[in-house]
Amino acid sequence: MSSPDPDGLLAEQLLRLTLRVHRIQKRHLEQHALGVTPAQSRLLRTLAHFGEPPRMADLAESLEVVPRAVTTLVDGLEASGRVRRVPDPVNRRVIRIELTAEGRRVLHELHGVRRTAAEEILAPLTDEQRKTLGELLDTLVGTVPPRGHC
């Protein structure tokens, strides 16, 4: 008989939580009929954090995905008028991606959708448990984001 693997159990719990978070966020996105996928939502949020319109490669690096995945996401968001490709002012061969007014509007709505989804996910936790979870996640992620930001 083998002894239980606590790290394996923890990894399994994290994976199940990740899937649950994804399902809940997807459901909330669908209920609000914003017409964006969770991946597009993530791209819009990431795009908003750049000081100037980033290159596709910058987005891919920030999202930790291959550039082709970003191209597909940008194509969909551009078709719906939420982002646009613009030439770099210094190097015309470089294309940058910027939010449109519609993209900023959707991003604002996404903030509320994410907050509602987070409230559902965190509902079973006390304030103290939420604080502890936040500290643990900061440690695991390796960065400490400013409080109050997505």
Side-chain angles (χ1 to χ4, degrees):
M1 184 165 217
S2 63
S3 61
D5 176 10
D7 288 341
L9 176 61
L10 200 53
E12 181 63 28
Q13 288 173 308
L14 287 171
L15 288 173
R16 286 189 0 237
L17 176 62
T18 300
L19 289 172
R20 182 169 183 258
V21 167
H22 181 77
R23 278 193 313 270
I24 289 170
Q25 287 186 339
K26 185 176 180 182
R27 179 171 41 84
H28 281 269
L29 282 172
E30 289 168 355
Q31 287 173 347
H32 286 82
L34 295 177
V36 293
T37 66
Q40 289 174 330
S41 167
R42 185 170 173 237
L43 186 138
L44 288 171
R45 290 188 324 271
T46 301
L47 187 56
H49 289 288
F50 280 90
E52 63 181 39
R55 300 172 305 137
M56 294 274 235
D58 299 328
L59 279 171
E61 182 179 335
S62 188
L63 292 167
E64 298 178 345
V65 298
V66 296
R68 177 69 189 127
V70 171
T71 300
T72 301
L73 293 171
V74 168
D75 286 348
L77 289 168
E78 186 175 41
S80 65
R82 293 172 177 149
V83 301
R84 71 177 142 252
R85 290 173 166 92
V86 295
D88 183 282
V90 177
N91 182 348
R92 292 185 341 189
R93 293 175 297 178
V94 174
I95 300 297
R96 294 188 175 269
I97 309 303
E98 70 179 8
L99 282 170
T100 63
E102 173 64 8
R104 284 188 289 280
R105 183 195 68 75
V106 168
L107 191 58
H108 179 74
E109 286 191 47
L110 282 171
H111 181 74
V113 170
R114 287 174 47 96
R115 181 171 301 282
T116 303
E119 288 170 3
E120 179 179 337
I121 293 162
L122 299 172
L125 302 179
T126 65
D127 288 344
E128 187 61 33
Q129 288 172 322
R130 289 176 190 214
K131 181 180 177 207
T132 300
L133 177 61
E135 291 167 354
L136 291 170
L137 290 173
D138 286 344
T139 300
L140 291 175
V141 172
T143 58
V144 180
R147 291 291 174 200
H149 290 356
C150 293

